[in-house]
Amino acid sequence: MNLYTFGKVLVKTALTPLYRFEVIGLEKFPKEGGVLLCSNHIHALDPPVVGMTAPRTVHFMAKEELFKLPVLGPLLPKVHAFPVKRGMSDREALRSALKVLKSGEVMGLFPEGTRSTDGILKKGLSGAGFFALRGDADVVPCAIIGPYKTFRKVKVVYGEPIAMAPYRERKASADEVTEVIMDRIQTILDEYKENK
């Protein structure tokens, strides 16, 4: 068992007694090929929860400060995280993310860039559209529906993949594609919040 798989089991063991996770839409998740997994961001637990529930290994960017922490820092690269400087203008991080996508793997991204304190989906950063257009991958929208309250249900909903080929063919802008991604996440939030 590698460290990522061990971490996934550990996170599931730690969090499942606290929250009633309901995972929806796993059958829609592409079984192979590059995937840009884009989710809303409502809590610090979102990255491990996405990593725990997604059916494939997910690579994440993490703020570079975390890599300097004594215990966590050395572990992060072993669970497929890589550092990014704040502001989404870190060229090395951009190259690393594109390499993940072009290698046919899954890159996890929170397009809002930071947590939403009120649970309302914020405007996405254009970096999401940039990766979607430049990476050889389709986009899987994901919605995490909380709140994270002990013994309450937390839904993780994976939506239909968004094919990027048509947007690449007509040379759509990164901003336009980011808006498409955020609209799809909002649609999932609206649908499943109503049925909570």
Side-chain angles (χ1 to χ4, degrees):
M1 183 185 292
N2 63 31
L3 191 58
Y4 184 92
T5 306
F6 176 73
K8 196 168 178 172
V9 171
L10 197 64
V11 168
K12 193 173 284 192
T13 303
L15 295 183
T16 301
L18 299 176
Y19 308 104
R20 291 168 43 229
F21 290 106
E22 181 182 359
V23 185
I24 300 166
L26 285 179
E27 72 283 354
K28 299 171 186 173
F29 206 102
K31 291 181 172 56
E32 57 187 26
V35 170
L36 180 63
L37 175 54
C38 291
S39 175
N40 63 321
H41 197 6
I42 59 171
H43 197 279
L45 288 174
D46 293 341
V49 165
V50 169
M52 172 186 91
T53 59
R56 293 170 57 188
T57 297
V58 184
H59 299 250
F60 282 108
M61 290 183 187
K63 57 186 181 182
E64 65 174 353
E65 294 88 345
L66 295 177
F67 289 80
K68 296 170 184 172
L69 297 175
V71 179
L72 186 61
L75 284 175
L76 286 172
K78 294 175 181 173
V79 292
H80 305 292
F82 57 91
V84 61
K85 296 185 178 77
R86 291 183 184 274
M88 295 290 284
S89 59
D90 182 342
R91 288 179 183 274
E92 186 58 39
L94 295 179
R95 280 195 290 268
S96 296
L98 289 174
K99 184 178 176 184
V100 168
L101 294 171
K102 290 180 178 181
S103 299
E105 298 179 81
V106 181
M107 177 72 215
L109 197 65
F110 297 97
E112 294 162 283
T114 188
R115 292 194 298 274
S116 170
T117 53
D118 57 10
I120 296 170
L121 190 67
K122 308 299 183 196
K123 183 178 172 62
L125 300 174
S126 60
F130 170 83
F131 290 129
L133 291 167
R134 295 286 296 274
D136 185 15
D138 287 337
V139 174
V140 170
C142 173
I144 301 169
I145 302 169
Y148 285 85
K149 288 190 176 174
T150 313
F151 310 126
R152 292 272 302 277
K153 185 183 286 185
V154 175
K155 287 184 182 177
V156 184
V157 186
Y158 293 97
E160 291 283 354
I162 308 168
M164 283 293 112
Y167 296 97
R168 292 187 195 108
E169 285 167 13
R170 64 179 179 81
K171 295 180 168 53
S173 70
D175 285 334
E176 179 189 346
V177 172
T178 298
E179 197 169 320
V180 169
I181 294 168
M182 301 311 286
D183 284 348
R184 195 68 65 87
I185 295 171
Q186 186 64 61
T187 299
I188 299 170
L189 285 168
D190 292 342
E191 179 182 353
Y192 284 90
K193 271 183 179 172
E194 288 172 9
N195 299 327
K196 197 168 179 187

